[in-house]
Amino acid sequence: MTVAHSQSYDSGLVERLLFRVARKWVAGYSSADAIEAALDANRRGMSAILNFLGEDTADEGQVGATVDEYLLLMGMMHDKNVQGCASVKPTQLGLAIDYEMCRQNFKKLAARARERGQFLWIDMESAKFTEDTITLYLELLKENPDVGIAVQAYLKRSGADLLHIIEHGGKVRLVKGAYHELEEHAFASGEDVDSNYLHLLKMLAGGDNFFAVATHDSKLIDEAIKLGGKCEFQLLMGIRDELKSQLVASKMTVAEYIPYGGQWLPYSVRRIRERKRNLLLLARSLIQQ
Ligand code: FDA
């Protein structure tokens, strides 16, 4: 009895300490927290891209609850006059369980987004889902032009994918990529990823389709500004806020990606891994408790 009690106390404490760090990148647990953060982004001159955290869902009930959450969120954004949209991970809508289930769920969200006059983004996850995610995206695009997909510059296949998506009139969010991938699939060095990012950026800027430059890398952002094209800049909540203000002040279109929900750990681990200084932040928070 005593042992069980102290174990649950310890895990609760660790969770609270970790959440203190994660709070930098995550709006909070509830849709109300997300709406508040989105309105704050709007006040700072940016639109908001809201993501209900969750991934690799293996449980159909959980998938259904996630669809309901996004439908509710879209309604709240509409009612509260939030400038922005949702961004959804395919495996939260069932891609790890069944492609058809995921497709039906995305169709539901895309239809609701359309009714509400909102855009809908599809996040890109690890390489084993790339092919299915692109197939699904191109299907959705036939019914709704206001749907976009993330493409990862670290993947060697992305040049060919981008060409295909552009040909179909698709809208792309260009990111470097956040997952651990085998060298067989992905460029291993930061220089190679950056040079592929620039290559893909030139492809996007050379076309007529709307696209999003989603990076905090000043060099690539400067290149994007020089290249021009129908684009917006997207940055994550809690990262490089000064750069966001500079872009807004220079009359660029900027969006802040704002995650929320109870499943904040995998997302926060990716943010910590991206930068050594974030590890120090974590250590400091654990020491200062
Ligand atoms: P890089 O990591 O090279 O960072 C450039 C500079 O930005 C750093 O020098 C530092 O100053 C700052 N910076 C970057 N990360 C930081 C951090 N965690 N803390 C503090 N400073 C940091 N990925 C994916 O695989 N699928 C997806 O769908 C998406 N979606 C997405 C949407 C949006 C709006 C953004 C901005 C990013 C994504 N990503 C993503 C994540 C992306 O792939 C990548 O992991 C991160 O953006 C970090 O890479 P950068 O492009 O910022 O470059």
Side-chain angles (χ1 to χ4, degrees), residues 24-25 49 87 89 122-125 150-152 154 173 175-179 194 197 213-218 220 234-236 238-240 255-257 270-272 274-275 278:
K24 183 176 156 63
W25 304 298
I49 301 173
S87 193
K89 289 195 175 8
I122 304 181
D123 285 354
M124 186 61 82
E125 302 177 83
V151 168
Q152 298 154 323
Y154 67 9
R173 168 202 297 155
V175 301
K176 287 192 186 179
Y179 298 81
D194 290 358
Y197 194 105
V213 179
T215 178
H216 313 94
D217 188 325
S218 296
L220 291 170
Q234 298 182 352
L235 297 94
L236 301 177
I239 301 181
R240 300 216 61 190
E256 184 167 54
Y257 182 105
R270 287 198 285 277
R271 301 291 81 81
I272 288 169
E274 271 159 15
R275 210 173 181 219
N278 289 334

Side-chain angles (χ1 to χ4, degrees), residues 70-99:
Y70 275 114
L71 293 173
L72 176 89
L73 183 71
M74 287 172 181
M76 286 171 79
M77 289 171 84
H78 182 263
D79 295 346
K80 302 271 178 192
N81 258 325
V82 169
Q83 297 303 306
C85 61
S87 193
V88 182
K89 289 195 175 8
T91 65
Q92 28 173 206
L93 295 198
L95 190 57
I97 307 172
D98 177 46
Y99 177 86

Side-chain angles (χ1 to χ4, degrees), residues 14-26 177-180 216 236-239 259 264-286:
V14 170
E15 181 174 331
R16 277 204 305 283
L17 291 173
L18 286 173
F19 188 64
R20 198 193 282 171
V21 179
R23 196 69 178 74
K24 183 176 156 63
W25 304 298
V26 173
Y179 298 81
H180 265 310
H216 313 94
L236 301 177
M237 178 181 180
I239 301 181
W264 46 267
L265 193 59
Y267 177 84
S268 307
V269 168
R270 287 198 285 277
R271 301 291 81 81
I272 288 169
R273 235 187 14 222
E274 271 159 15
R275 210 173 181 219
K276 272 197 209 111
R277 211 180 294 168
N278 289 334
L279 261 179
L280 293 178
L281 192 72
L282 176 65
R284 207 179 311 135
S285 162
L286 291 173

